Amino acid sequence: MLGVGYLHYRNEGRSNADFKCSSGAFAGNMDFGIEYKLTDHLAVNGGFSILTGDFKKIKATVDDKKETLRPDKLDRIYVRRLDFQLGLVFCY
């Protein structure tokens, strides 16, 4: 399965100044799974899932002053996720 979605990032803090930032990005994902039937009632399955996206601009507010930040490529917020799954299925 392949898909496209939207990621939203939000951060708030309070120190010497009130700080808020938010960003959005489009992301892609892929899921792959396989199942092998061992008997009439027992099967094993496995798969993996990948999610990836990056936030190219961030809207920041510091003490009511709004600004749009465009970080360099090395300073961006990147999302990379890889999940593995292995299972045993019993049907009665």
Side-chain angles (χ1 to χ4, degrees):
M1 176 173 64
L2 296 173
V4 176
Y6 181 78
L7 296 173
H8 180 74
Y9 172 79
R10 181 178 172 169
N11 190 5
E12 293 184 27
R14 194 173 301 183
S15 179
N16 295 335
D18 287 337
F19 172 79
K20 294 179 185 177
C21 70
S22 65
S23 183
F26 287 104
N29 68 319
M30 181 183 83
D31 295 323
F32 176 79
I34 190 166
E35 185 170 298
Y36 182 73
K37 187 175 179 181
L38 298 171
T39 66
D40 287 340
H41 301 289
L42 188 64
V44 293
N45 62 13
F48 65 92
S49 176
I50 299 171
L51 172 70
T52 182
D54 62 325
F55 297 92
K56 296 181 180 178
K57 65 180 179 178
I58 300 170
K59 296 177 183 175
T61 305
V62 179
D63 282 339
D64 297 328
K65 181 183 174 190
K66 294 182 180 182
E67 187 175 347
T68 299
L69 307 172
R70 297 182 192 280
D72 293 333
K73 190 173 183 180
L74 295 176
D75 296 327
R76 287 185 192 156
I77 299 171
Y78 292 97
V79 175
R80 305 287 185 262
R81 181 175 172 167
L82 178 62
D83 296 321
F84 293 98
Q85 177 237 336
L86 183 61
L88 187 62
V89 179
F90 178 74
C91 298
Y92 55 92

